[in-house]
Amino acid sequence: MAKPRGFEFWRSTLKGARYVVAPMVDQSELAWRLLSRRHGAELCYTPMLHAQVFVRDVNYRRENLYNDVSQEDRPLITQFCANDPEVFIQAALLAQDYCDAIDLNLGCPQMIAKRGHYGVFLQDEWDLLEKMIKLADEKLSVPITCKIRVFPEIEKTVKYAKMLEKAGCQLLTVHGRTKDQKGASTGIASWKHIKAVREAVNIPVFANGNIQHLSDVQRCMEETGVQGVMSAEGNLHNPALFEGHSPPVWEMAEEYLDVVEKHPPCSLSYVRAHIFKLWHHTLQIHQDLREDLAKAKNVAGIVEVNRQLKQRCQEEMAKDESEWNQTGLPFPHWICQPYVRPPPKDPNTENGQKALEMKAVSVKRALEDSDGTNDSLSKNKQKKKARNPHKNFCPELKPKYIKCEQCGNPKGNKCVFNLCRGCCKRKAFKEVADCPGHGLRFKTKALRQCNSDTGGGLTNRKPNSQTVSTAVHDPGHPLT
């Protein structure tokens, strides 16, 4: 049976989904997806999964997809980051039976994506992307989709989208921000870019960006003509966004914690992060409970912090409005509402001018001084410094690693193949060779086995290819 394509895929498999929960690393796990579906979401994505890790690590597959199976959690799209066509296809083949489509992440702008060379940092490698999408369209039993960011130029963005469509992409999500729009420089997403893409392609398009309320969803669909709208941060601060409802935070938090208990296991770090997001505005006021939430050792501890926050908010509600309505928020701080990042400081202001003089503009904090003093280091780096007083965080002084010839990871300094350990192990196993630098002794073991099988008659002879092949592929042999 031929797999559905384009609009047929959107209408039949995805049931014409308009309200979409974005793929969010460590945040769009099963419990959160189920909560979002209860409150209006019609389609969800898994968190972004690393294709290479997904292929090699069975525990990673279980924890991030195989154990998160629920009949309530459909339709579902699994998203991967990858930069190797073969690895991407292997990962997708392992995942396709657990979802309705496979998505290739071409939009992540974070530093980890830059180091790993994936996400939006593949945006200019059109030949590679075309190969990856074509291969996925040919090999997979489910459709292939993509999530992208825009180029500054509308024309280039349209050409990019049409290239992906021609390669075999069956649905395109367009985040209306460029690669550089992130952190304090996030700014406003361009719906003009999204509209231009929608008018140029013949596949369904989802819009992403500037979605904080249900009214934004409706306005976006009217202005751009897209088939659906995806929300990430808006959904994290208000899971009932697609219902057009802003409930008290404790209602959403209690319901989420209830879902977590009914669908274990769920990483404590995920749960804590969600509660921090939901109570973001309130925790700016009740700093002591913020510390308690950070130190909670289990879900029961988080439940208790949530109960105390609820109690304090209800006590505030009983007071006169003038006593608690001093936050500058559109709603009381205990109501689910979006978090709006403050705009970047104007260079002409006093603080902005000081930052320019220091040449230390950064998203979260000023860059560390070159001497790495504790006063200028983040808390995490201070802990590392305490463990190792000689550690230096200056980028210029970090050693420059030579890359593995196959995967791009740092190669082993003494590797005879000039590869990283993983690639070296595969090559040495395939060729029945040794690599002293990585402590791999496949050839030595094969010789030893041959000697023991023939009573030592081959001590001074090299094993012929047939003998070695038999030793390596024997099911009872220790190398298999």
Side-chain angles (χ1 to χ4, degrees):
M1 181 179 175
K3 58 188 175 186
R5 305 181 70 82
F7 281 96
E8 181 192 353
F9 160 62
W10 174 65
R11 292 190 191 97
S12 59
T13 307
L14 302 185
K15 300 178 174 62
R18 297 173 301 156
Y19 303 150
V20 186
V21 175
M24 297 174 283
V25 176
D26 297 343
Q27 297 279 264
S28 56
E29 84 288 356
L30 175 63
W32 190 259
R33 297 196 301 264
L34 292 176
L35 176 71
S36 299
R37 290 180 190 276
R38 290 182 183 182
H39 294 279
E42 298 168 343
L43 169 65
C44 293
Y45 283 64
T46 67
M48 182 194 75
L49 305 177
H50 198 295
Q52 194 171 51
V53 182
F54 196 86
V55 169
R56 72 167 184 253
D57 191 340
V58 65
N59 289 327
Y60 183 81
R61 295 199 290 271
R62 287 197 196 103
E63 292 168 4
N64 291 279
L65 186 62
Y66 295 176
N67 289 347
D68 282 359
V69 177
S70 171
Q71 292 301 317
E72 304 171 56
D73 189 33
R74 302 300 280 266
L76 176 70
I77 296 180
T78 298
Q79 187 187 71
F80 286 106
C81 66
N83 57 21
D84 182 296
E86 295 298 333
V87 173
F88 176 52
I89 297 307
Q90 289 179 48
L93 288 170
L94 290 168
Q96 65 180 1
D97 293 338
Y98 297 84
C99 58
D100 298 291
I102 299 294
D103 187 78
L104 178 60
N105 183 325
L106 300 175
C108 181
Q110 303 305 325
M111 183 55 68
I112 191 171
K114 184 176 183 179
R115 289 197 296 264
H117 193 56
Y118 59 80
V120 76
F121 299 97
L122 296 176
Q123 191 176 45
D124 294 310
E125 300 187 31
W126 290 19
D127 290 341
L128 172 63
L129 295 180
E130 186 175 12
K131 183 178 179 181
M132 293 175 76
I133 300 301
K134 273 187 177 178
L135 203 58
D137 189 41
E138 293 170 3
K139 301 285 186 182
L140 301 182
S141 62
V142 296
I144 176 71
T145 69
C146 298
K147 184 173 187 290
I148 66 172
R149 282 191 171 225
V150 301
F151 289 94
E153 307 85 7
I154 292 180
E155 296 78 9
K156 189 173 182 180
T157 303
V158 168
K159 288 181 181 178
Y160 182 42
K162 293 178 78 172
M163 179 274 293
L164 294 172
E165 178 190 15
K166 184 178 179 182
C169 177
Q170 302 304 314
L171 184 149
L172 195 60
T173 299
V174 184
H175 187 158
R177 293 186 174 92
T178 65
K179 177 169 60 177
D180 298 321
Q181 284 183 276
K182 57 185 178 180
S185 302
T186 295
I188 303 298
S190 170
W191 287 357
K192 288 183 179 179
H193 283 71
I194 299 173
K195 181 180 180 181
V197 169
R198 173 66 204 96
E199 292 174 347
V201 299
N202 295 310
I203 55 175
V205 175
F206 290 161
N208 184 209
N210 303 347
I211 306 301
Q212 297 180 340
H213 305 280
L214 183 59
S215 58
D216 297 326
V217 174
Q218 295 162 343
R219 188 164 56 87
C220 179
M221 294 181 75
E222 290 172 2
E223 291 187 17
T224 63
V226 293
Q227 279 63 50
V229 172
M230 178 182 284
S231 173
E233 287 202 18
N235 166 261
L236 289 176
H237 287 279
N238 181 12
L241 181 151
F242 290 129
E243 286 184 321
H245 178 45
S246 296
V249 173
W250 61 80
E251 287 185 8
M252 291 292 96
E254 288 171 350
E255 188 175 353
Y256 170 65
L257 292 168
D258 182 61
V259 176
V260 167
E261 290 185 4
K262 291 179 179 177
H263 295 84
C266 184
S267 171
L268 186 66
S269 63
Y270 300 176
V271 180
R272 194 197 320 273
H274 281 302
I275 300 302
F276 264 119
K277 285 279 189 182
L278 288 169
W279 283 110
H280 172 83
H281 300 295
T282 301
L283 289 172
Q284 308 305 309
I285 300 169
H286 299 286
Q287 294 283 341
D288 58 324
L289 292 181
R290 182 185 184 87
E291 292 296 321
D292 291 345
L293 180 56
K295 294 175 182 177
K297 303 293 185 184
N298 48 43
V299 174
I302 294 177
V303 169
E304 174 57 23
V305 174
N306 185 69
R307 186 195 64 78
Q308 293 183 46
L309 284 164
K310 174 183 178 180
Q311 181 179 344
R312 291 194 187 182
C313 288
Q314 290 177 335
E315 290 172 356
E316 285 186 52
M317 290 170 66
K319 298 178 182 178
D320 186 81
E321 181 177 347
S322 60
E323 294 186 37
W324 52 258
N325 192 18
Q326 299 178 1
T327 58
L329 298 170
F331 303 111
H333 60 79
W334 56 77
I335 296 296
C336 287
Q337 57 193 298
Y339 166 67
V340 181
R341 286 191 182 93
K345 290 180 179 177
D346 186 341
N348 295 321
T349 64
E350 182 180 349
N351 290 338
Q353 187 62 36
K354 185 177 180 181
L356 287 175
E357 290 171 0
M358 293 172 64
K359 295 182 180 179
V361 176
S362 180
V363 172
K364 290 187 177 179
R365 59 177 69 85
L367 293 173
E368 291 81 18
D369 294 336
S370 58
D371 61 355
T373 58
N374 282 352
D375 290 340
S376 62
L377 295 179
S378 67
K379 289 183 180 179
N380 190 33
K381 289 183 178 178
Q382 286 182 38
K383 290 177 183 177
K384 291 181 180 179
K385 190 84 171 175
R387 291 195 296 267
N388 180 8
H390 302 292
K391 190 169 183 67
N392 195 304
F393 296 100
C394 181
E396 288 77 13
L397 298 179
K398 287 187 177 180
K400 305 297 182 184
Y401 295 105
I402 301 174
K403 291 185 177 181
C404 166
E405 294 177 357
Q406 291 187 6
C407 70
N409 290 325
K411 83 171 189 70
N413 290 331
K414 298 180 181 179
C415 178
V416 297
F417 299 115
N418 290 321
L419 302 174
C420 67
R421 180 174 176 80
C423 296
C424 176
K425 188 173 182 180
R426 286 190 289 273
K427 185 176 180 68
F429 178 82
K430 185 176 180 180
E431 299 182 4
V432 194
D434 288 348
C435 177
H438 281 123
L440 302 174
R441 309 289 183 194
F442 293 110
K443 182 177 179 180
T444 303
K445 288 180 181 178
L447 287 168
R448 191 181 300 130
Q449 182 66 32
C450 289
N451 290 339
S452 65
D453 290 346
T454 59
L458 296 178
T459 303
N460 297 317
R461 289 191 294 147
K462 291 184 179 180
N464 61 42
S465 60
Q466 185 177 0
T467 305
V468 173
S469 176
T470 303
V472 172
H473 296 291
D474 180 2
H477 193 271
L479 295 185
T480 60

